[in-house]
Amino acid sequence: MSTGHIIQLPLLDYRSIEAYAPLATIEPSGYFALGRRYVHAPRVEWKPVEGAARYELLLLQGESVLGITRAVESPCYISKGWECIKPGKANVVIQAFDVEDKRIALSRLFPIYVAPDYNPAGTATPRRSYIDAAWLAFDALYHFQFPPDQPMARSGPIAGILPLIRAGIILSDGHTDARSFPSLHNWLHMCMLENLMPLADQKRQGQILRYARSVGDHLLLCRLPEGHACAGMMRGCCNIDGGPALGYADAEGEYAAKMQRVVEPGKTGLAAEALVKVFEMLEEEPYLDAALVMAEYYVKTQRPDGSWPARVDGLTGEVLGDYATSAVSVASFLERLARHRPDARWDAAREKAVAWMMRHPMRTFAWVTNYDDFDATATLENPYKGLCNWDLFQFIRYLCAHPDIAPNTVEAVREQFNWNDNQFCLYGSDPLFPYETYYPVCIEQSNPGSFCEETRPWIPMDFHTAHWASAMLAYYRLTKDEHWLERTCAAANAVTQYQLDNGYTITWMGDKAFGLSALFAGRDQTFWPAAWAACAALWAELARME
């Protein structure tokens, strides 16, 4: 342990009031001001102290100083003592010294909770083979029928679309809450179809093509019409008949009306790319034509810094949410579109979007929630609102396919995986999680401890475990490090344990012994069909490697 000088304990003579007054207080900043759970060493960030020549970061556990990391500025990773840490409670303290090595500032005690790291001995075994699990999920999606009493249009253009393309959530009795999220969900269905097609016989290939047509036709129905500022873009949320729907339940009055026509430009890049994928499968121009309209919108509305707003009123173009980390979805779409309709404008917009991603979330770790049923209050100045990993996994896959974007892509991606571990991954019995799942699994959003708040659930989900595993698989292909393939398979195995015999996967993963979760599992379980597609896409990709 390198200390720089002998530590006097206690750090303050807490029985003497005189000990407190002379020292300035060091305040946390960035993600460190929010983060409390760590699998890997914390990245400590703080506001600079006037007159400070150096800092020390003390790692404490129990009554011991495990290590002291010296720094000259923020941020700095804890590098001393983490090898001695044990799961459970720990603390970090920051102190500042002037040029004469006199301590001039001291932070409060920052509590952290140390969670277990990946351990192959504690991972789940597969409940069934990947290929069997993938086709079981596909069949559940393809053959699903709504109950006869489900309110829905049963004629017209919408009637020819497979039922589960039209629904965002179904209940255990087969009914739906009538919401659909075409940007996220249709894209996942197309990922599944892409990965299953090489494994399909002639009959299943026909089913896949019919399925792809349903995806494409649903996306076309979800577009905003002429006369809207965002004409041709996808609604954020649609009802079961392809019309306006309210995704954000807390919206009221005029804002609720705006939310029924809301567009989330960055995220909608997923829907645009799904259209290109449909075109590639069916070779029918209307799908590509619709994608081209969306590309023109992106070029016209991209901000000078390379980003797009998080949320806009589709009718007026009014910005309803400022900061989003979904620009990578647009970059990926424009790159795929350029294979069929090259245009220098697509390339320029894509490069600016990727550069924005590198400057902001890749440096700040402010990966935020950008779903229609969630608020959108993050700003560039205060981005740590509703942290989530969806866009992170998107960007990891993009970087792994384009490693020359960054000078140190392998290290940069590993750093992001570590952040996701700290915030969202369960590898074993956890000090902040109330029950035992199959391991490893990945949580969607929010912060540790929020499993007691129904609107901010810190609960592992099938969607996000599959999404995480697909990002790890991309990293394996980049690095050729078998460790990452092992972790990918471990996550894929865990999700098989949450697949029902009818092909559904359980969205809110419950306790492996009792089947219940802190919030949603059991009799109140809801199923998100696109999550079955996300899992099937992962399983099919792994099956193709076997």
Side-chain angles (χ1 to χ4, degrees), residues 61-73:
Q61 193 166 47
E63 298 182 1
S64 301
V65 179
L66 299 185
I68 304 173
T69 301
R70 302 187 69 174
V72 295
E73 62 182 357

Side-chain angles (χ1 to χ4, degrees), residues 469-482:
S470 70
M472 289 193 290
L473 187 56
Y475 194 55
Y476 160 71
R477 290 192 169 113
L478 173 65
T479 63
K480 304 299 189 292
D481 184 344
E482 292 290 331

Side-chain angles (χ1 to χ4, degrees), residues 151-167:
M152 58 184 290
R154 299 183 184 274
S155 62
I158 194 73
I161 294 172
L162 290 174
L164 282 193
I165 303 298
R166 299 164 59 178

